[in-house]
Amino acid sequence: MFNAKSRFTAALLTAALSLSFCPAALAAEPEGMTRAQVRDALLTAATDYNPGVTGEDILRGDENGELHLERTVTRAEALVMLERAFGGLPAPVGANARSAFPAEEFTDVPAWAQEELTGVFAAGIVAGTEAGRLSPQQPVSEAQLDALIRRVYALEGTQLKDDFYAAVNKQWLDSSTIPAGQLINGPFYGLSYEVNDQVAQLITGIASTPQEKGTPEAKIAALYHTVTDLEGRNQAGAEPIRKYLDAIENARDLDELLAADALMEEELAFSTLLGFGLMVDLKDSTRYSVIFSSFIPTLSQEFYRAGTPEQKEAYLTYIITLLTLSGLSQEEARTQAELVYEAEAAVSAASLPPQDAGNVDKIYNLYTMAQLQDIFPHVDLERVYAASSLKETDVIGVTDVGAMEAAAAFFDQAHLDTLKALARQALVSITSRYLSQNFTDAAYDFQAVYYGVEGRLSPEELAAAQVQGLLSDYLSHAYVDAYFSSQAKADVENMVYAFIDIYKERLQAQDWMSQETRAMALKKLDTLGVKVGYPDDWSTYLDNADIRTPEEGGTFFSNYTSIQCSAKAEFLLYQDKPVDKAQWVTSPDTVNAFYNATANDITFPAAILQAPLYDVNASREENLGAIGYVIAHEITHAFDNSGAKFDENGNAANWWTAEDYAAFQIKCDAVTAWYEGQESAPGLACSGALTLGENVADLGAVACVVTAAGGLEDPDYDALFRSMAHTWASTASRQTQAALLSADVHAPDKLRVNRVLQTIPEFYETYDIQPGDGMWVSPEERVSIW
């Protein structure tokens, strides 16, 4: 997938406020630099920002004028020298202000350094080693000094050679804003908001005019009117789910609680504790297989492992608010919220790490019903299975064995109160957006504290978004008819096939691959499916949904339930059918792109094929740097660390020789190291392991795009590289950035520019980047993979 940041749905906040002076934790004593070394490094770094700066300006000596060049520099000294070298530091504005370390009052700043360090602290580039403490006497390592210098480069944003992303995007970053109620903004994300506005106009236009009963337009209008019926929704409160809340509350034993869960499965099309479903079989992509799952944590592993007390309390407060709105007292709600947290934390600790979520070797686990029954001895799994309405099967898949086994420990009479709390919390969380305004307010309050989100969507924006989310198939059709360009479809299709040809050439040139493996890789490219714009056949399951206006007795909740049950009925039919690989993995009104490993195809929805990602009036180089990056990125996913485990038919299979796969793994390890610890903002560092697959796709994409540009007459590489940087300009609160770092498989946007371009020879040549420049990396240290 090209980008998931705008779509992540769980609050996954890392412990950002506990990060300190350098990207790495200060658990081990760093090897300190001398004063002379720091002075010389700062002279090299600051010359372009403070012309004429001298060593004497940076290091002035003690009261007797003695420099003591051989002494190990302290934190306080290094920070003062940094401020002097750059001639003062600018105050952060815009994106830099959102990314800065929070302002902090330090109690241990030496008197001699207080005045000069005021500007350093105001710049937001340094934090304490613990709350209120700077630890001014600690030594400073080369890595720590380098991190500080790079933070200043980003803050200044004036030199392409030092921080290309910051310099190209300086004007936008400094003046950037985030729309009210949104997590993030930027050209890519802004396009998504623009599409949402376009769809909202379609919705309100349809809802404001009479429609023929039973048509898609009539259903869109009916749903919109129930969403905007706030008076009716607020009057109902939690009553639409009262039946299920009471069933949970009144359960006297595990059997009765699971009966309540089965009732929700049958009537609401979801379960809260245990459930069975379908997914494409990873080793036989022509068929669907039954999968089994138990309750899972709401938040990230990082939150449960290292979340701060403030973060935990924010989450508990949110759960408590939802539970009190469902009818519990404040005391009962807190007790149940704490039970939920403890159970989720236990399961989280046993779960796969997020980087393994797509690893077929770890998520493809087959069980018989008897084997699952042994793991859940107190549960009648046959009864749970019956509620799913699926037909009998011989094998059942489990994607996370550790999580399942940890959850199984709670399914006995002794943990009945915990299970009831989990069921109630899940029911309320899933349905809250379809109930009264109080539930929506709780979600906004949580976002404000947890993600630093400011403001709220307007009632009209929220209503349109909710209708779009539930009736996307209908609205996508209307969106394509109203906004999609056939010229964009044809041009992008041509670009896709041109990139596939370039990829074939690049595969032929990989000297580390044997002919045997190369032939299989080329075969995979030859059979790669391409989906552009919209599907040939549109889904019809919404035709079976009974969506009524308030005058007809419909409510937002009843319409939501009807839509969900119609979707489930459609899905159940898949069990007896071969997988339809022509089916799309997303809707055409989605601003994103996808590679589907089990279909071996790539998808570019209509919504992404417009400016600024694709512009018929832009130069070829500019389009290559934007939509070209997207296209080549998705192609590369066929050969990333996960895609490489699937063959040309979309089946998990080993098509590599042992030697070639070992060589590929070495390259993947190098990519992991290339990104590990790289900062996107002060103290916020990337996980190379979590982002490996997307980073491989980025690196392969840009290598391919540069090859394509090189085939043009007199290619404008400056336009190409600037286009890449503009595409990925973004801004978000520090809390949101930290959340993404712990959960999102994509590297931060800044690294999707700088770290990728640092591998491209043409980039160095275009801007004459030399040793000593911030963007410089020695040729022998640069990574390559495709």
Side-chain angles (χ1 to χ4, degrees), residues 3 19 61 81 104 141 216 277 280 294 296 314 431 478 501 526 617 682-683 697 747:
N3 191 287
L19 293 173
M81 292 166 70
E104 191 172 0
S141 70
V280 175
S294 51
I296 59 174
T431 61
D501 288 340
D526 285 335
N617 298 314

Side-chain angles (χ1 to χ4, degrees), residues 267-555:
E267 297 186 0
L268 304 180
F270 66 77
S271 57
T272 62
L273 296 175
L274 298 171
F276 293 88
L278 294 175
M279 68 176 289
V280 175
D281 191 295
L282 298 180
K283 293 192 176 181
D284 181 2
S285 62
T286 65
R287 61 185 291 269
Y288 290 95
S289 294
V290 173
I291 59 167
F292 170 72
S293 61
S294 51
F295 71 87
I296 59 174
T298 304
L299 308 186
S300 71
Q301 276 188 326
E302 183 68 12
F303 166 77
Y304 296 102
R305 186 189 67 81
T308 65
E310 293 80 9
Q311 294 159 9
K312 178 181 176 181
E313 188 58 32
Y315 179 48
L316 289 175
T317 297
Y318 177 55
I319 299 175
I320 290 166
T321 303
L322 293 183
L323 294 180
T324 53
L325 290 172
S326 76
L328 297 184
S329 69
Q330 188 78 13
E331 183 179 356
E332 291 171 324
R334 174 162 284 278
T335 298
Q336 292 200 17
E338 290 175 348
L339 289 174
V340 167
Y341 176 85
E342 291 167 3
E344 288 185 342
V347 173
S348 176
S351 299
L352 287 172
Q355 61 264 30
D356 286 333
N359 186 341
V360 66
D361 297 332
K362 296 186 178 181
I363 65 174
Y364 192 79
N365 308 286
L366 301 182
Y367 290 79
T368 64
M369 183 65 81
Q371 289 172 322
L372 290 176
Q373 189 64 75
D374 288 342
I375 298 171
F376 291 84
H378 305 292
V379 175
D380 183 354
L381 283 180
E382 292 288 356
R383 183 181 179 185
V384 176
Y385 191 82
S388 74
S389 300
L390 291 164
K391 297 181 180 179
E392 290 186 11
T393 184
D394 296 329
V395 292
I396 300 166
V398 174
T399 57
D400 192 331
V401 173
M404 177 189 69
E405 291 177 344
F410 288 91
F411 283 84
D412 56 28
Q413 195 65 24
H415 292 92
L416 182 62
D417 287 345
T418 295
L419 292 174
K420 290 171 72 171
L422 286 163
R424 189 180 190 106
Q425 185 265 344
L427 169 62
V428 179
S429 294
I430 293 169
T431 61
S432 60
R433 69 190 68 184
Y434 314 110
L435 301 173
S436 66
Q437 181 65 38
N438 289 338
F439 289 93
T440 302
D441 290 341
Y444 276 127
D445 291 342
F446 176 70
Q447 279 194 330
V449 175
Y450 209 82
Y451 291 116
V453 173
E454 297 182 357
R456 300 183 176 190
L457 297 178
S458 69
E460 295 77 16
E461 288 173 323
L462 180 59
Q466 290 171 318
V467 173
Q468 182 182 5
L470 289 171
L471 298 182
S472 186
D473 286 341
Y474 282 162
L475 288 163
S476 291
H477 208 158
Y479 175 81
V480 167
D481 290 342
Y483 294 104
F484 188 50
S485 162
S486 58
Q487 180 181 350
K489 179 178 173 67
D491 195 20
V492 170
E493 284 177 341
N494 289 334
M495 289 178 71
V496 170
Y497 289 111
F499 275 123
I500 290 175
D501 288 340
I502 290 172
Y503 240 95
K504 290 178 181 178
E505 295 173 4
R506 293 190 65 82
L507 284 174
Q508 294 283 10
Q510 302 299 321
D511 58 8
W512 57 273
M513 295 181 78
S514 67
Q515 282 298 113
E516 181 181 350
T517 301
R518 183 179 292 111
M520 294 300 294
L522 291 169
K523 187 176 182 180
K524 191 170 185 182
L525 272 180
D526 285 335
T527 55
L528 183 70
V530 178
K531 297 171 180 173
V532 176
Y534 53 87
D536 294 330
D537 296 310
W538 296 81
S539 175
T540 58
Y541 79 90
L542 289 173
D543 294 344
N544 300 318
D546 182 18
I547 304 176
R548 302 183 182 184
T549 66
E551 293 75 18
E552 295 169 331
T555 66

Side-chain angles (χ1 to χ4, degrees), residues 118-277:
T118 299
V120 176
F121 298 149
I125 63 168
V126 63
T129 55
E130 57 184 278
R133 295 194 60 80
L134 178 66
S135 298
Q137 296 303 315
Q138 279 192 359
V140 173
S141 70
E142 185 176 358
Q144 291 172 336
L145 181 66
D146 182 67
L148 282 170
I149 291 171
R150 291 185 182 279
R151 293 172 192 173
V152 176
Y153 287 159
L155 193 62
E156 296 276 2
T158 58
Q159 301 296 323
L160 294 171
K161 295 183 179 184
D162 289 329
D163 189 327
F164 188 76
Y165 170 90
V168 168
N169 293 315
K170 179 174 176 55
Q171 182 177 354
W172 186 91
L173 291 169
D174 284 354
S175 61
S176 63
T177 59
I178 301 174
Q182 300 290 1
L183 292 170
I184 194 168
N185 197 19
F188 185 93
Y189 310 101
L191 176 56
S192 181
Y193 304 148
E194 180 182 335
V195 170
N196 289 344
D197 289 342
Q198 292 170 336
V199 174
Q201 291 173 21
L202 292 172
I203 293 170
T204 54
I206 291 169
S208 64
T209 55
Q211 302 295 340
E212 182 181 349
K213 188 174 177 60
T215 62
E217 291 78 12
K219 293 185 177 185
I220 292 169
L223 181 61
Y224 183 77
H225 291 311
T226 57
V227 173
T228 55
D229 179 23
L230 285 178
E231 182 179 351
R233 290 170 57 188
N234 291 340
Q235 187 174 14
E239 287 310 302
I241 59 171
R242 182 61 55 200
K243 170 183 177 180
Y244 312 103
L245 290 170
D246 288 345
I248 293 169
E249 185 67 23
N250 296 331
R252 294 166 297 183
D253 55 32
L254 184 56
D255 285 343
E256 290 187 1
L257 179 58
L258 292 176
D261 208 38
L263 180 67
M264 287 183 277
E265 177 67 60
E266 292 165 357
E267 297 186 0
L268 304 180
F270 66 77
S271 57
T272 62
L273 296 175
L274 298 171
F276 293 88

Side-chain angles (χ1 to χ4, degrees), residues 38-69:
V38 171
R39 177 200 61 190
D40 294 344
L42 290 172
L43 272 175
T44 300
T47 300
D48 290 336
Y49 303 86
N50 187 19
V53 65
T54 67
E56 290 74 19
D57 295 327
I58 298 173
L59 185 58
R60 300 170 188 166
D62 59 20
E63 62 273 12
N64 299 317
E66 296 180 8
L67 300 179
H68 301 291
L69 298 178

